[in-house]
Every structure is written in C-alpha cells, then in structure tokens.
Amino acid sequence: EPEVTQTPSHQVTQMGQEVILRCVPISNHLYFYWYRQILGQKVEFLVSFYNNEISEKSEIFDDQFSVERPDGSNFTLKIRSTKLEDSAMYFCASSEAGVNSPLHFGNGTRLTVT
Amino acid sequence: LAKTTQPISMDSYEGQEVNITCSHNNIATNDYITWYQQFPSQGPRFIIQGYKTKVTNEVASLFIPADRKSSTLSLPRVSLSDTAVYYCLVGDKEKLVFGTGTRLLVSP
C-alpha cells in the first residue's frame, strides 16, 4: 500500500536555526497537509496546500513557517528561526480529494529545538 | 468550524465490542465524518469515513443517525493492540481539526 514518507525521523537543531522538514506524499494525491503534536498534547492543524497554494492555515502557522512543493514529489515545511516551543512531532498528510476523503499520514519528524 | 465532542477515555476487555460516540451538532451539509486511530509516536491512521446511515469495513463500523449530529464508531471484539487514541473529525473546508480524542485502554 502506498505510504507518505517523512525525513528525517528525528531532527535536533539550535534555537534560531532554520529547519526544513521533508515529505513525499502519495503520488496521485492532490491535497497536502502539515500537522504537529507537542508531546502529550493533541494533534494540531498547521496548513493545507492544494494546486500550489495554501488553502487554509492556523494561527500557529505564522511568518516563521512556509511550505513548498519544489518538484512533483516533495512537500516541505520550513521553519525560519526555530524557537524552543517549536519542539514537537510534525506530521505530513496527503489526500486524494481533500478533507472529505481519507488523509494518509506519515510517521512524523520529531523536531527537538535546544 | 464544526466541533466534535467525545469521551476522554474508555476501558474495555479483550473480545468485547467497543462503541465510541462523538457529537457534532453543527455539522455542515457537505461534511463527512471520519475516524482516525493514533498509537504513541505514530501518525494518525484512517479507520473509517461516512456521510449517513451505516458504513462497515474490515476493522470497524460507523453508525450515523438521520440528523447527523452524532456518530458512533463500533470496534468488534477488541484486542490489546486496539489500545490507542481514537479521533472523530468532521470536514471543514481544508482545515480538518483534531479534538482531544478518546483514549481507549483494552485490558486482558
């Protein structure tokens, strides 16, 4: 069964550094998402992306965050200047037809900001 | 924004049927209801999705009454490996928001 893959599985960075989290969505999917989950808390929506532009974003997704689909297969989340509170598990997801079809999630990147 | 409410936790024993009910009073006409399962340190995993009445797949059933203001996920004969957090979500444009979910603990 096709999967969403995320790299790296664990990223450690220093406060103020830029990080790029990478995702390869399922190949025929058109909708892409980033979520995050701080340890012990609920899964939080960050952003959705369709047709090369952001569809929706949450208040968490401020100017420090950006997303890009640089080629036909990758979907990236960039955090420009990381803060301690950005430490979390970041999940990428994709779907065939938006939120009224199943979202397929990757296994996440654990980001640790020191 | 369609908001969902679920029990925070449930306990069950192996072999029992588990029913988790979710309320979504302000569900929109076009919204589907989707349930996900999450194990620790893993991404949420799709279980089942429905619009109305009943949907069944190889792992679960989903019951949705006519007014669609609630739904019930039914897990037949749970095993220890079904211990997880279960989320009920209702579509809202392209912003699918997770609630706190229901933590299901299955004991021997």
Side-chain angles (χ1 to χ4, degrees), chain A residues 33 35 37 48 99-100 103, chain B residues 30 32 36 38 93-94 96:
Chain A
Y33 309 84
Y35 286 79
Q37 188 172 31
S48 57
V99 294
N100 286 334
L103 267 62
Chain B
N30 295 331
Y32 280 69
Y36 290 84
Q38 188 182 29
K93 297 182 188 173
E94 286 308 309
L96 202 58

Side-chain angles (χ1 to χ4, degrees), chain A residues 31-78:
Chain A
Y31 296 77
F32 313 110
Y33 309 84
W34 283 101
Y35 286 79
R36 79 172 186 190
Q37 188 172 31
I38 295 169
L39 188 64
Q41 298 186 24
K42 66 180 185 180
V43 179
E44 299 176 292
F45 170 80
L46 292 179
V47 66
S48 57
F49 190 87
Y50 169 72
N51 201 25
N52 279 320
E53 57 184 37
I54 290 174
S55 307
E56 298 278 346
K57 60 182 181 178
S58 70
E59 14 343 304
I60 303 168
F61 194 88
D62 60 21
D63 292 345
Q64 292 300 312
F65 291 86
S66 62
V67 288
E68 196 178 30
R69 188 154 162 82
D71 52 43
S73 58
N74 291 286
F75 180 52
T76 61
L77 174 71
K78 184 195 291 187

Side-chain angles (χ1 to χ4, degrees), chain A residues 72-91:
Chain A
S73 58
N74 291 286
F75 180 52
T76 61
L77 174 71
K78 184 195 291 187
I79 309 174
R80 250 176 281 283
S81 176
T82 50
K83 305 190 273 284
L84 294 176
E85 54 266 37
D86 293 327
S87 294
M89 195 77 151
Y90 287 79
F91 294 109

Side-chain angles (χ1 to χ4, degrees), chain B residues 28-81:
Chain B
T29 306
N30 295 331
D31 288 344
Y32 280 69
I33 299 149
T34 314
W35 285 79
Y36 290 84
Q37 174 193 55
Q38 188 182 29
F39 299 111
S41 300
Q42 292 187 26
R45 188 173 73 97
F46 170 82
I47 303 173
I48 197 165
Q49 183 179 65
Y51 184 79
K52 62 180 180 180
T53 62
K54 178 184 171 183
V55 180
T56 297
N57 62 21
E58 62 276 6
V59 298
S61 294
L62 178 60
F63 299 92
I64 304 167
D67 66 6
R68 303 197 333 118
K69 291 185 188 299
S70 67
S71 59
T72 299
L73 173 73
S74 181
L75 304 172
R77 296 179 302 281
V78 293
S79 63
L80 297 178
S81 61

